[in-house]
Amino acid sequence: MKIQVLCIALFCSFIACTPKTQNINFIEEEVSIDLPKMIDPVVKTDSEWKSELNEQEYYVIREKGTERSFSGDLWDNKQAGIYTCRACQLPLFTSNTKFKSGTGWPSYYQPIKKEYIKEDTDHLLGYPRTEVMCARCEGHLGHVFPDGPEPTGLRYCINSVSLDFVDETTAN
């Protein structure tokens, strides 16, 4: 039994290791909307957030929860467009970087701009994971793992409830 627990712990540590770092070109020039040059923080009280977000959104975005896999409205969205933070509308990902991960959550191999994503390490499951948050409102989005496709090798595994989708035809 101790060997099994040790093997699981080693595997989890391997999966949670620091993502690959490469020189990648962010796709901000390919985005069909104006991107903010500066990000002014959005700071609100808990009561303000509760009045603006529904119960599930508040749980995931403000309390760092997770929606059930395959339950969100965007995990299998195949339309062209921009994915924004549901809480503050900062553009975060494009459909061009979305891929089918099989996890039941929307997955992307890179954000629009690295400055739009804030990272932190959490230990909520007993091992380190890299949490990703919106850089503007610090809303919880999901986690990033080092098992994604090229060119980055990253998988940004994001809760649907943390995102809004802007169709490419209405993005301008």
Side-chain angles (χ1 to χ4, degrees), residues 94-151:
T94 72
S95 56
N96 294 339
T97 63
K98 189 172 192 268
F99 68 97
K100 185 176 181 178
S101 66
T103 62
W105 290 282
S107 296
Y108 311 86
Y109 61 81
Q110 75 182 42
I112 290 174
K113 289 182 84 170
K114 64 182 177 184
E115 296 86 7
Y116 291 1
I117 299 290
K118 182 178 176 181
E119 295 184 1
D120 195 13
T121 302
D122 80 38
H123 294 84
L124 297 174
L125 296 180
Y127 59 90
R129 296 182 301 170
T130 303
E131 176 191 10
V132 291
M133 297 161 286
C134 172
R136 179 185 282 163
C137 69
E138 295 190 358
H140 174 74
L141 302 171
H143 293 85
V144 61
F145 301 96
D147 60 1
E150 294 302 326

Side-chain angles (χ1 to χ4, degrees), residues 21-132:
T21 56
Q22 297 181 8
N23 290 330
I24 58 171
N25 295 322
F26 285 85
I27 55 169
E28 57 190 286
E29 59 276 350
E30 298 175 20
V31 177
S32 59
I33 60 173
D34 290 331
L35 297 174
K37 302 289 185 231
M38 304 261 312
I39 302 174
D40 293 326
V42 172
V43 180
K44 298 181 182 183
T45 65
D46 282 342
S47 60
E48 289 173 313
W49 284 121
K50 284 180 180 178
S51 71
E52 294 177 18
L53 302 171
N54 69 36
E55 189 176 320
Q56 177 73 2
E57 292 166 349
Y58 184 84
Y59 166 69
V60 172
I61 297 169
R62 303 313 310 167
E63 295 181 333
K64 301 180 185 282
T66 301
E67 68 190 2
R68 287 186 350 264
S69 62
F70 301 100
S71 69
D73 61 342
L74 297 173
W75 73 270
D76 64 346
N77 181 31
K78 295 172 180 62
Q79 294 177 288
I82 307 291
Y83 294 86
T84 64
C85 174
R86 173 125 345 133
C88 73
Q89 301 308 307
L90 182 68
L92 299 172
F93 301 97
T94 72
S95 56
N96 294 339
T97 63
K98 189 172 192 268
F99 68 97
K100 185 176 181 178
S101 66
T103 62
W105 290 282
S107 296
Y108 311 86
Y109 61 81
Q110 75 182 42
I112 290 174
K113 289 182 84 170
K114 64 182 177 184
E115 296 86 7
Y116 291 1
I117 299 290
K118 182 178 176 181
E119 295 184 1
D120 195 13
T121 302
D122 80 38
H123 294 84
L124 297 174
L125 296 180
Y127 59 90
R129 296 182 301 170
T130 303
E131 176 191 10
V132 291

Side-chain angles (χ1 to χ4, degrees), residues 13-20 130 144-149 152-155:
S13 295
F14 173 75
I15 293 297
C17 69
T18 305
K20 296 181 200 176
T130 303
V144 61
F145 301 96
D147 60 1
T152 66
L154 300 175
R155 173 174 52 96

